[in-house]
Amino acid sequence: MNPIPWGAVYAGGVQLGAYALERTGAAERERLLRGCSTNVDNLAAGRWETLLSSALVVEEPMPLPYALLLVAVLGYAEYAYGAWWAAAVFLFGHAAATLLVYGALRGRADPQTRRAVDVGTSYGFNAVLGALTSALPRGAIRTAARVGLVALAAAPVVRRGRTFTDAGHLAALGVGIGVSLAFDCLSGAKHRKIT
């Protein structure tokens, strides 16, 4: 068992950074957020480092229930699969969902959407949550969890007033469930199951 709860360290660092960002001037805050953002303009200009920096910054402090859920999901992923696995799925899901959204928006986004601030923990969170479905008992419970999560993530995408972030959440969850399905196929995969 890893003695350092890296998920809690990550969430705490992001939260502390958000509080610090609140105390900066409006222009400096905007400059920093835009510099870390994975918006269409940044990615089209080759600022690929934003695929990492955007996961380290949030626009405002996370609400306590979400922050606790983030810590719980990352913590269980570390417990069940290890810190490296949890970090890899988080970053892979974050980057993959971001690139899928970028690909969809690149040729047709309006100028405001092209330069929108796009930062946060939610894509990685959704990917890890989806991947953790492989820790559930096989059969109806695991299938129901996957279908339920997809339905919850798809609901904002089909409503009026949806945003590209809603589509990104669904994409990230899909990436995570894809990781989970691949993990299910590995024979003899050893991890702690939810029972």
Side-chain angles (χ1 to χ4, degrees), residues 16-75:
L16 287 174
Y19 286 123
L21 196 58
E22 276 190 326
R23 282 149 183 75
T24 63
E28 179 62 17
R29 180 180 179 277
E30 184 73 10
R31 186 193 65 74
L32 186 108
L33 288 172
R34 291 209 177 273
C36 292
S37 177
T38 50
N39 60 34
V40 174
D41 283 350
N42 278 350
L43 292 176
R47 295 187 193 108
W48 299 108
E49 71 279 1
T50 61
L51 288 172
L52 176 61
S53 65
S54 62
L56 302 174
V57 179
V58 291
E59 288 186 70
E60 56 192 33
M62 297 177 282
L64 185 59
Y66 174 76
L68 293 174
L69 188 58
L70 176 64
V71 169
V73 166
L74 294 178

Side-chain angles (χ1 to χ4, degrees), residues 55-178:
L56 302 174
V57 179
V58 291
E59 288 186 70
E60 56 192 33
M62 297 177 282
L64 185 59
Y66 174 76
L68 293 174
L69 188 58
L70 176 64
V71 169
V73 166
L74 294 178
Y76 188 78
E78 284 183 60
Y79 169 75
Y81 301 104
W84 286 109
W85 184 92
V89 171
F90 185 96
L91 291 172
F92 176 69
H94 175 80
T98 297
L99 291 173
L100 287 168
V101 169
Y102 168 68
L105 293 176
R106 186 174 176 200
R108 58 187 181 168
D110 60 77
Q112 183 178 354
T113 301
R114 291 184 64 85
R115 65 178 181 270
V117 173
D118 188 18
V119 296
T121 62
S122 59
Y123 288 5
F125 166 80
N126 277 284
V128 173
L129 184 63
L132 278 179
T133 59
S134 66
L136 294 169
R138 285 188 183 270
I141 292 174
R142 191 179 299 182
T143 301
R146 287 173 175 157
V147 170
L149 287 171
V150 168
L152 284 172
V157 175
V158 298
R159 77 171 198 278
R160 255 184 217 182
R162 65 186 171 265
T163 66
F164 67 84
T165 304
D166 296 325
H169 292 157
L170 180 60
L173 183 68
V175 168
I177 289 174

